[in-house]
Amino acid sequence: MKARVHVMLKNGVLDPQGEAVRHALGSLGFAGVEGVRQGKVIELDLAEGTSEDTVKEMCEKLLANTVIESYSVEMV
Amino acid sequence: MKARVHVMLKNGVLDPQGEAVRHALGSLGFAGVEGVRQGKVIELDLAEGTSEDTVKEMCEKLLANTVIESYSVEMV
């Protein structure tokens, strides 16, 4: 079974990487890009029977820095 | 309107970052993590009327390195 975890910077936390992408898109001539936020996606290949709670524990302990990042877990 | 772009390393391309996460999860006592792939997620805040094709062009030109990465676009 698989799980997909999205880790994004929380709103209000400055995202220089996203800002750089926004700027670069403007330089390339793409108009109308009003904001860009960049985050991580982590695809986990798990043994059968692993619960969503276990994946959330992985997020809390390793995958996300919960001070500045929020995460969401999706079992697929 | 918003678009979400997922950029992942193609299958067969070595993913040392994902491998490091897999190893770290094992060290933390999480059993049954068989594989981890890490990618990027980019959330774009776009002007109304921007087409999916435009976002795909952004991916081809900037957001993804199509030699080693694949991308998917989702309009939300």
Side-chain angles (χ1 to χ4, degrees):
Chain A
M1 65 187 300
K2 281 179 181 265
R4 187 177 293 144
V5 174
H6 283 100
V7 179
M8 298 294 291
L9 284 169
K10 286 181 179 169
N11 284 334
V13 178
L14 202 69
D15 179 2
Q17 209 172 2
E19 200 50 35
V21 170
R22 194 186 62 75
H23 186 79
L25 286 171
S27 304
L28 285 171
F30 293 104
V33 181
E34 286 154 17
V36 179
R37 304 284 286 175
Q38 184 167 334
K40 290 180 287 188
V41 55
I42 301 156
E43 285 184 1
L44 301 157
D45 217 338
L46 299 165
E48 279 311 313
T50 309
S51 71
E52 194 171 327
D53 285 347
T54 307
V55 180
K56 283 187 178 161
E57 210 185 318
M58 292 177 190
C59 293
E60 294 283 341
K61 285 197 178 161
L62 180 76
L63 304 179
N65 175 355
T66 53
V67 177
I68 54 167
E69 291 171 328
S70 60
Y71 62 85
S72 63
V73 174
E74 190 188 336
M75 306 302 278
V76 284
Chain B
M1 65 187 301
K2 281 178 182 266
R4 187 177 293 147
V5 175
H6 283 99
V7 179
M8 298 294 291
L9 284 169
K10 286 181 179 170
N11 284 334
V13 178
L14 203 67
D15 179 1
Q17 210 173 2
E19 200 49 35
V21 170
R22 194 186 62 76
H23 187 79
L25 286 172
S27 304
L28 286 172
F30 292 104
V33 181
E34 284 153 17
V36 179
R37 303 285 285 174
Q38 184 166 336
K40 290 181 286 188
V41 55
I42 301 156
E43 284 185 0
L44 300 157
D45 217 338
L46 298 165
E48 279 310 313
T50 309
S51 71
E52 195 172 328
D53 284 348
T54 307
V55 180
K56 282 186 180 164
E57 209 184 320
M58 293 177 190
C59 293
E60 294 283 340
K61 285 198 178 161
L62 181 76
L63 304 178
N65 174 356
T66 53
V67 177
I68 55 166
E69 292 172 329
S70 60
Y71 63 85
S72 63
V73 174
E74 189 188 336
M75 306 303 277
V76 284

